[in-house]
């Protein structure tokens, strides 16, 4: 394990590469002021399954609109004696498939030297004098800051 007082290997350690971890990594990579920051993502799963979907409302362009699998411009209320279809105007309701999201971000970050993906499970995450230290099934790493999106057990 790296000594606790050594300079951290990474600026940001992301424990968990699901919705939150991948979104954070993507936004860090998009931000010019963070261009020099080194990001480590530790995620145990391959994320190669469509394990969920996300849907959202918006009336302005959003960053992941391009990968939405469906977009609705109308909503309908229907019952045996009533029917009303409402145009959503500027609003859209969009649905993103989990797999499309994982693949989109993986592709966007694939050639980015800022970002390192490690397949493994975080076991211990602890503060040190110079940041954080993680013990994972793929080895030990240090970083200045950690963002932990592991599910609560
Ligand atoms: C089957 C299912 C369907 C869902 N459908 C929807 C939906 O339709 N709409 C919606 O809004 N929400 C849905 N959710 C809720 C979903 O949890 C959130 O939308 C969103 O995925 C949460 O983002 P997150 O990054 O916090 O968690 P996740 O996306 O779950 O990411 C957490 C990541 O941490 C990883 N991890 C676990 N243990 C470790 C470890 N020890 N070390 C490192 N990484 C670890 C996991 O593998 C995972 O990739 C669904 C959840 C499930 C389980």
């Amino acid at each position: 394990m790296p000594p606790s007082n050594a300079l951290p290997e990474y600026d940001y350690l992301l424990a968990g590469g699901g919705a939150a971890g991948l979104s954070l990594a993507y936004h860090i990579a998009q931000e010019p002021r963070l261009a020099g920051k080194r990001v480590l993502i530790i995620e145990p799963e391959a994320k190669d399954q469509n394990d969920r979907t996300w849907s959202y409302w918006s009336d302005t362009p959003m960053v992941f609109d391009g990968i939405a699998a469906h977009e609705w411009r109308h909503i309908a209320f229907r019952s045996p004696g009533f029917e009303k279809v409402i145009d959503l105007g500027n609003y859209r309701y969009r649905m993103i498939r989990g797999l499309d999201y994982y693949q989109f971000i993986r592709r966007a970050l694939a050639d980015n030297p800022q970002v390192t993906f490690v397949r493994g499970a975080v076991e211990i995450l602890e503060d040190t004098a110079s940041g954080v230290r993680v013990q994972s099934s793929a080895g030990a790493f240090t970083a200045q800051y950690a963002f932990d999106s592991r599910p609560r057990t």
Side-chain angles (χ1 to χ4, degrees):
M1 186 174 274
S4 61
N5 58 356
L7 216 55
E9 300 161 280
Y10 295 92
D11 294 289
Y12 306 129
L13 163 79
L14 311 188
L22 290 178
S23 176
L24 181 57
Y26 182 79
H27 283 87
I28 290 171
Q30 297 287 312
E31 173 52 59
R33 288 172 295 178
L34 301 179
K37 302 295 184 187
R38 299 149 300 163
V39 181
L40 174 67
I41 304 171
I42 306 181
E43 163 62 46
E45 293 183 10
K47 309 303 280 184
D48 58 359
Q49 303 296 315
N50 188 42
D51 55 2
R52 64 198 68 179
T53 60
W54 298 281
S55 299
Y56 59 100
W57 295 94
S58 67
D59 65 347
T60 50
M62 305 283 281
V63 64
F64 298 122
D65 286 350
I67 56 168
H70 285 291
E71 173 182 299
W72 288 268
R73 293 164 181 249
H74 301 87
I75 52 174
F77 295 90
R78 291 197 175 98
S79 74
F82 179 83
E83 173 162 338
K84 189 172 177 69
V85 177
I86 298 175
D87 186 321
L88 292 175
N90 291 334
Y91 281 91
R92 297 289 177 270
Y93 188 61
R94 296 189 176 92
M95 185 270 281
I96 292 179
R97 299 166 71 239
L99 183 59
D100 293 339
Y101 174 82
Y102 305 140
Q103 291 180 338
F104 173 80
I105 295 186
R106 287 270 182 170
R107 273 198 301 272
L109 300 180
D111 298 325
N112 189 330
Q114 256 186 293
V115 183
T116 304
F117 283 91
V118 164
R119 181 96 181 260
V122 169
E123 290 157 357
I124 300 168
L125 189 55
E126 58 190 3
D127 290 332
T128 66
S130 56
V132 292
R133 181 169 47 197
V134 65
Q135 181 64 51
S136 80
S137 59
F141 306 92
T142 57
Q144 196 172 3
Y145 299 103
F147 297 87
D148 189 1
S149 64
R150 287 172 296 165
R152 287 188 183 183
T153 50

